[in-house]
Amino acid sequence: INYSTQHHTYTSTMTVPSSSLSDTSPAEVSKQIKALIKELPEIRADAARLDDLRRIFTRLEAEGELSFGTPPPKSPVAAKWHAFLHKSHKTMVSQLCDRVQLGRHSAIRCLWGVIAGSPLTKQQQGNSSSSSPSYKYMNVDLLQKWMRAMIRQESTYMDNGMKNMVEGEFFRPFRDVQYYSLGSITALATAAYNNEGCNDQKT
């Protein structure tokens, strides 16, 4: 695995192209993920590591090996693989959120890529079989995690470069991002209000 410091360009689209992992065995994919999940001290190498990890999970989702919002498989072997992928994906998201809180632009872009490559899958209403048609939509849980990380940044001031990046590359181009972001902001604000109310009652 090459931890190159070469700049990884984020494609500003919520539909992520991906190359195939079909010729790679699950054991090899697992080995790659376990190696890439380890944090690195050098900032650029660490950013490249996370972007490589994001690409792997994006390809796994595109090929049907990884899905979000669906029940785990019944087969013990498949269920174990499902649990490993989801646990590793959760660790990657946590690491990215930590770096977003530090104000790292590369982490913000990478987490956008994770959101784009980790949609929720839902079967059409009235269909319960695994072979019934399904559709994908934005993973609101990941969107809210990104928002929380942005709110908790160490700096109380967002520089113009970051403002322009967030608006121009994430919010402005995509209607679905705008729609789900409004809902997420409402949900986060309501949760904060309710939590503040509970604290007032205790005092």
Side-chain angles (χ1 to χ4, degrees), residues 173-189:
F174 310 112
R175 291 293 184 185
D176 57 340
V177 173
Q178 296 170 19
Y179 173 79
Y180 286 110
S181 293
L182 286 173
S184 295
I185 291 170
T186 301
L188 292 172

Side-chain angles (χ1 to χ4, degrees), residues 11-39:
T11 304
S12 187
T13 172
M14 297 312 287
T15 303
V16 181
S18 60
S19 57
S20 176
L21 276 176
S22 57
D23 295 332
T24 308
S25 69
E28 183 60 29
V29 174
S30 174
K31 184 178 178 181
Q32 292 177 9
I33 291 174
K34 288 177 180 178
L36 287 168
I37 211 72
K38 298 176 182 176
E39 298 174 277

Side-chain angles (χ1 to χ4, degrees), residues 158-176:
M158 183 183 292
D159 62 82
N160 288 330
M162 185 177 293
K163 286 181 181 178
N164 293 334
M165 180 182 71
V166 171
E167 181 181 357
E169 297 182 29
F170 193 57
F171 284 122
R172 188 182 297 169
F174 310 112
R175 291 293 184 185
D176 57 340

Side-chain angles (χ1 to χ4, degrees), residues 4-10 109:
S4 170
T5 58
Q6 179 182 359
H7 176 66
H8 293 276
T9 302
Y10 171 74
R109 284 194 172 100

